[in-house]
Amino acid sequence: MKVLLIGNGGREHAIAWKLTQSPRLKQLFIAPGNPGTAQCGTNAQIPVDDIDRLVAFAKDQRIDLAVIGPEDPLAAGIVDAFEAAGIKAFGPSGAAAQIEADKAFSKQIMRASSIPTAESRLFDNFEDAKAYIASRDEPVVIKATGLAKGKGVFVCDDPSDGILAAERILCEKIFGAAGAKILVEDKLLGQEVSILAFVDGRNIYVMESAQDHKPIGDNDTGDNTGGMGAYSPAPIVTDKLMDQIVREILVPTVDGLNRYGTPYRGVLYAGLMMTQGGPRVLEYNARFGDPETQPILMRLKSDLLEVLLAVCDGRLDEITLEWDPRPAVCVVMASQGYPGKYEKGKPITGIEQADQLPGVKVFHAGTDRIDGRVATSGGRVLGVTALGTTIAEAKANAYEAVGMIRYDGACFRRDIADKAIQNL
Ligand code: AMP
Ligand code: GLY
């Protein structure tokens, strides 16, 4: 089987690494990939948003399955384009991917299906938004409804900050068309968890739980990032809670999308707040999470390629997922300055040595090969991931590996997985 994987982050290196373990894989291309994915297959220098070229490449190479990592091409309808060309593709249609790309649409689905989420109001006009926010005493969350690279959400404890955020999005248009509308949402309190499920249009197969670490600083301080680390499983998600999440959130979401005429296939990712009143949806993603995928796939024992094919063919009910019971922890190593401005091109040493530690895998994200050497090329550089018999041991193993990797301006959180350790 010939597979084309689209993307170039840590998530895609983890997917590529896992796909290479499948006896059914004959050839793997990654577009555009990174130096990590180059160890798993052949990188093809085509950007993720050049849908025409990606489809033409897949036709040329007689690709059997395209697997799409990031949200932008999904929302732009890349799966529809592959299918129109007669190529199987893993991921939702452009219409179904709006569950991530349009937060107003996802609220509509949630409302229609009584899915627990924060109360919210939608505005496309600053004066109305301002009057509404000013009329409230409680903290508010202001969200651009479109795709904003994970930066479109402002949690404002003071309503005056909420008004400022609304002004920046609606009047200054800091997110362009992605911020033509905003949601003003109640702030929810609790721990966040990421629940990812395979969905084939009808059947839902939930993966092991995970928790992300969005803020840049230890103890969840500072600006939000794409994610500074993750672990799986999240001990806060007991079996009973997982049943409740599937029953009250995942099943009605998939049913709601079907009723709306946009059946969902691919990975459905529910970002949840575990509030005192139970789990509430913060957002959906239409894809594997990054960095959650790194620890989740380290723990998956089943053949990922078989699972992806079963999703595409609508026969997820024939599949059983087997998991390594050992927890996994992923520590993201970033560039100094991220999520703001940062320098690139810093040579990295120690990846091979770290990779040789038992139970450790170093996933590349923002790396590049310059003059034959691996160097930094992005904000999130590496996802150092480790298994352990306990979550504390997985954490220790991951940080031991982190300690072996060096580059100028390396930054990382030192408290990844502490919440899980406290929850045990
Ligand atoms: P989203 O992209 O909607 O998940 O928002 C990004 C981050 O903002 C989430 O991971 C939360 O940390 C935070 N957030 C979003 N919505 C809320 C909410 N209603 N209450 C509290 N925090 C939120
Ligand atoms: N880790 C959050 C995301 O993938 O959007």
Side-chain angles (χ1 to χ4, degrees):
M1 171 129 305
K2 292 175 84 169
V3 177
L4 170 61
L5 170 65
I6 290 160
N8 63 350
R11 163 184 53 208
E12 285 76 20
H13 185 191
I15 295 171
W17 168 80
K18 191 68 205 164
L19 286 175
T20 58
Q21 295 168 15
S22 170
R24 290 189 65 183
L25 184 79
K26 206 169 101 208
Q27 200 174 11
L28 177 65
F29 292 98
I30 310 94
N34 62 34
T37 64
Q39 293 163 1
C40 310
T42 308
N43 287 349
Q45 289 313 312
I46 311 173
V48 301
D49 58 358
D50 197 340
I51 295 180
D52 290 345
R53 263 181 78 201
L54 289 166
V55 172
F57 177 83
K59 274 204 224 158
D60 261 11
Q61 295 290 339
R62 300 179 179 279
I63 293 293
D64 300 295
L65 173 71
V67 180
I68 293 90
E71 60 274 22
D72 290 291
L74 286 168
I78 194 169
V79 167
D80 311 72
F82 276 117
E83 286 178 351
I87 298 162
K88 213 174 260 190
F90 178 86
S93 66
Q98 299 309 308
I99 192 90
E100 170 170 5
D102 180 358
K103 288 184 193 289
F105 172 68
S106 73
K107 279 285 178 191
Q108 201 181 323
I109 294 285
M110 285 188 262
R111 208 163 279 148
S113 301
S114 304
I115 293 166
T117 182
E119 283 302 319
S120 69
R121 297 262 308 257
L122 180 67
F123 295 96
D124 60 6
N125 148 331
F126 174 63
E127 289 310 321
D128 293 348
K130 181 178 166 186
Y132 174 69
I133 299 166
S135 73
R136 300 166 43 100
D137 285 332
E138 311 88 59
V140 286
V141 181
I142 311 292
K143 300 183 172 186
T145 59
L147 287 178
K149 306 242 174 281
K151 296 184 180 150
V153 174
F154 298 84
V155 180
C156 306
D157 286 325
D158 190 324
S160 63
D161 292 334
I163 293 173
L164 223 58
E167 187 169 19
R168 293 184 63 206
I169 302 174
L170 289 171
C171 305
E172 294 167 26
K173 303 204 182 302
I174 53 170
F175 302 119
K181 292 186 191 144
I182 59 167
L183 282 172
V184 180
E185 206 171 276
D186 290 354
K187 180 180 171 185
L188 300 175
L189 296 177
Q191 266 198 58
E192 287 185 54
V193 295
S194 306
I195 302 296
L196 283 69
F198 291 108
V199 179
D200 71 357
R202 225 163 20 102
N203 304 293
I204 299 171
Y205 204 137
V206 71
M207 296 179 225
E208 291 277 284
S209 60
Q211 193 169 82
D212 191 4
H213 296 67
K214 290 226 163 85
I216 184 77
D218 285 358
N219 300 314
D220 288 339
T221 51
D223 290 345
N224 265 350
T225 69
M228 292 300 291
Y231 56 81
S232 170
I236 189 175
V237 185
T238 57
D239 289 349
K240 192 163 161 253
L241 262 175
M242 189 62 117
D243 285 347
Q244 187 184 352
I245 291 165
V246 172
R247 205 175 50 245
E248 293 181 4
I249 294 170
L250 296 178
V251 169
T253 305
V254 171
D255 287 351
L257 283 161
N258 267 323
R259 267 201 305 278
Y260 197 80
T262 46
Y264 195 93
R265 274 187 345 198
V267 170
L268 180 63
Y269 164 141
L272 306 178
M273 189 72 93
M274 309 305 272
T275 71
Q276 297 245 302
R280 304 263 184 280
V281 177
L282 293 174
E283 64 164 345
Y284 294 104
N285 291 322
R287 51 175 172 81
F288 280 105
D290 191 340
E292 293 94 327
T293 300
Q294 290 81 317
I296 289 176
L297 290 187
M298 281 280 278
R299 299 186 56 222
L300 180 65
K301 286 169 128 182
S302 315
D303 181 339
L304 178 64
L305 183 52
E306 292 287 359
V307 183
L308 302 184
L309 289 168
V311 168
C312 292
D313 297 343
R315 44 175 189 81
L316 199 46
D317 48 343
E318 294 172 12
I319 290 283
T320 321
L321 297 182
E322 268 191 73
W323 298 97
D324 191 325
R326 290 176 297 169
V329 171
C330 168
V331 177
V332 169
M333 296 183 75
S335 298
Q336 177 83 54
Y338 175 76
K341 282 209 179 86
Y342 53 84
E343 292 179 11
K344 299 181 185 177
K346 311 286 181 197
I348 309 172
T349 59
I351 295 178
E352 287 82 15
Q353 293 84 328
D355 240 346
Q356 273 158 23
L357 292 175
V360 168
K361 181 73 203 156
V362 181
F363 294 113
H364 289 241
T367 66
D368 206 350
R369 202 169 271 283
I370 302 173
D371 299 331
R373 296 180 68 186
V374 174
T376 66
S377 74
R380 291 192 291 171
V381 178
L382 299 166
V384 182
T385 312
L387 291 162
T389 47
T390 61
I391 195 120
E393 193 185 291
K395 175 188 170 187
N397 292 345
Y399 278 104
E400 186 187 349
V402 165
M404 297 169 83
I405 298 172
R406 303 244 185 281
Y407 56 89
D408 247 19
C411 294
F412 52 89
R413 277 180 63 161
R414 285 160 208 277
D415 65 341
I416 302 300
D418 283 358
K419 270 192 220 130
I421 296 165
Q422 284 150 19
N423 269 322
L424 285 172

